[in-house]
Amino acid sequence: MAVTATTPVELVEAVYAKLPERIATGRERLGKPLTLTEKVLVNHLRDAAQGGLERGISYTDFDPDRIAMQDATAQMALLQFMTAGLPEVAAPTTVHCDHLIQAKVGASIDLGVAIDTNKEVYDFLESVSAKYGIGFWGPGSGIIHQVVLEQYAFPGGMMIGTDSHTPNAGGLGMIAIGVGGADAVDVMTGFPFNVRFPKVIGVHLTGSLSGWSSPKDVILEVARILTVKGGTGAVVEYFGPGAESISATGKATICNMGAEIGATTSIFAYDDTIDAYLRATRREAIADAAKGVADHLRPDPEVYANPADHYDQVIEINLDELAPLINGPHSPDFAHKVSEIGTDAAEQGWPLEISAALIGSCTNSSYEDITRAASIARQASAQGLRAKTKLLITPGSEQVRATIERDGLLADLEAIGGEVLANACGPCIGQWSRPDMDPETVNTIVNSYNRNFPKRNDGSPNTLSFVTSPDTVIALALAGRLDFNPATDTLTSESGEEVKLFEPEGVTLPEQGFDPGENTFVAPPADGSTVEVQVSPESDRLQLLTPFEAWDGNDFVELPLLLKAQGKCTTDHISMAGPWLKYRGHLENISGNLFLGVINAFDGVDGFGKDPVDGETRRFPEIAKHLHEEGVSWVAVGDENYGEGSSREHAAMEPRFRGAKVILVRSFARIHETNLKKQGVLPFTFADPAVYDQIGEDDKLSFLGLADLAPGQPVRAEIVKPDGSKVPFEVNHTMNEEQIEWFRAGGALNIIRQKMEAR
């Protein structure tokens, strides 16, 4: 299986060859016209005649066309894959080095430092990729999702990626789903990707964007409407005349940030903008193939005619009326109009002075994004204006960087004080060294990123992060204040003249074509069997995995409570990124961050709790380590949408490694719940959410009748009070028979090993 720097047209043609028959079968099985989501999914069923297709209910097996992994998540995924004993991956796979580059000084120096400090990890990833037939995109290539959009995404395809923003590829009409590493290992070993057949939310777009409104405002509005958990278990499908007016990269922005509403993925139908992007990125053959099956790459006409009959929910957005938005702080669904944020900030006591403005990330670093931002910078520079705060720019890929440099756009941004960072994630994921800002100082930043949880960008809980479009970021950087509305307000130039900014003007695709820049792709050798993958036993960054033990068949009786989380508990709270990224290949060392950001429900303090063994107050990771060393299994309790955010499976592997048997919450985010199942941890939810309030700090929890664990059946549980009294209650779960077997075997990877050994 050859792995190339772009998707071969032969793969695409093979996917399209199945479309007519598979779609006909899908219509027959469902007895109705199909949405685009259903068309793509039925075309990727492992068995077209088998598997349930009931939305939100049926667990279904799919065969994705490809897998993509970023460097931080690829380490653990590939360490797991190495234990399976296969000579190569069973599906086209790539690794992208984008997460381990820290933003500190500037692009060139930061990249050089990253290559030096991460050499051991990069060497491991490159060698393991070579051994198992995986394409390797080295550091400096760009952010995984931008590279995938430029090289691998295609209309009607299906992929999985070990990053929550994998849905970015939905901008080209692809079903692209963020998963944990164990899901990727399934597909890399030839097993299907198993997930519940999703619900489908339709977003009907009418009108067209103009003025200061941008594609980013579409998803900020959807986040406002649905909240951070409103898309859970669903694919968000955009349709209507407004959808066709948005560029392919604008569509990708919208799909990318769909991760922030918990959606399985998001998707747009194939149209002329997608065709144009494919041709501009040198994929004419794929564009021609897609055009030949265009009718199959959009919803059936009946769906367009009567959307309420075919979507589980329909949201109407008139782009003509959509005002520029800015969401935050601390949650990506906390929406404000740009025209009103100043008033809101004053009422809340948020600092109006902006300490930093940042443009880029996988969400907003396309050529079009940069041209819109540069158009504002150009007019500002001509009027003698400069940014009044630190302005940082992250190109999305080497191709984007080379092209915007050639076209003078970087110079436009630098002319107002912008500083260009490496082609990487950087501050968006906490890889931001910020020595000039005291972490005790409450400060405001604005950015074109996607996520703004506390500590997300610079590790400081006192940084208030607001998410908006690149256009608005530039305008606010020039003003230096949050209460500036570029549509109505003016700025004062150095000469004292009042200047009103013109509306941004963007160029969808470069007139001279894209400059590919430096080639950073390494194809695997035809035969990797002689490649040696070295993992030193003394390494503090890489550690070979030992299989988790199988369930012993006994109920979990009187498990001590490691913690009870209050409020939002994202994967950032459970397993922080930032400085901890360097340990992503070493399960024991990274477990030193376990629950470090969790708010203790008993005292409101983050990261500290009461050790149930000796009653001492310690950091949560120290408590978990103590329990592990004492051989004491435990349970953790959480609130709503537990595990929201990143796909990082470390947030499931660390609790499993330290002895967690059950995570009990009011509700789960999709990816995290799946990751817990994969690692053999029971993810239970309260049948009555009010029971959460009855659990005390010194209580213990029992889970009974586990030998009879069955799909759809509640499990008996008890709160055991310190005086020995018991409070019975029930918990629910979403496990099917296969997932229950994962639990019994000690994790899904143990099942894979058993099947590999039996071959």
Side-chain angles (χ1 to χ4, degrees), residues 463-484:
T463 293
L464 308 184
S465 177
F466 292 85
V467 174
T468 187
S469 69
D471 321 338
T472 300
V473 170
I474 285 286
L476 295 179
L478 290 165
R481 291 179 60 84
L482 197 60
D483 56 356
F484 175 72

Side-chain angles (χ1 to χ4, degrees), residues 324-335:
L325 296 172
I326 182 167
N327 289 21
H330 300 329
S331 192
D333 59 347
F334 189 12

Side-chain angles (χ1 to χ4, degrees), residues 632-645:
V632 178
S633 300
W634 48 270
V635 58
V637 172
D639 212 322
E640 296 281 1
N641 207 33
Y642 181 91
E644 170 192 347

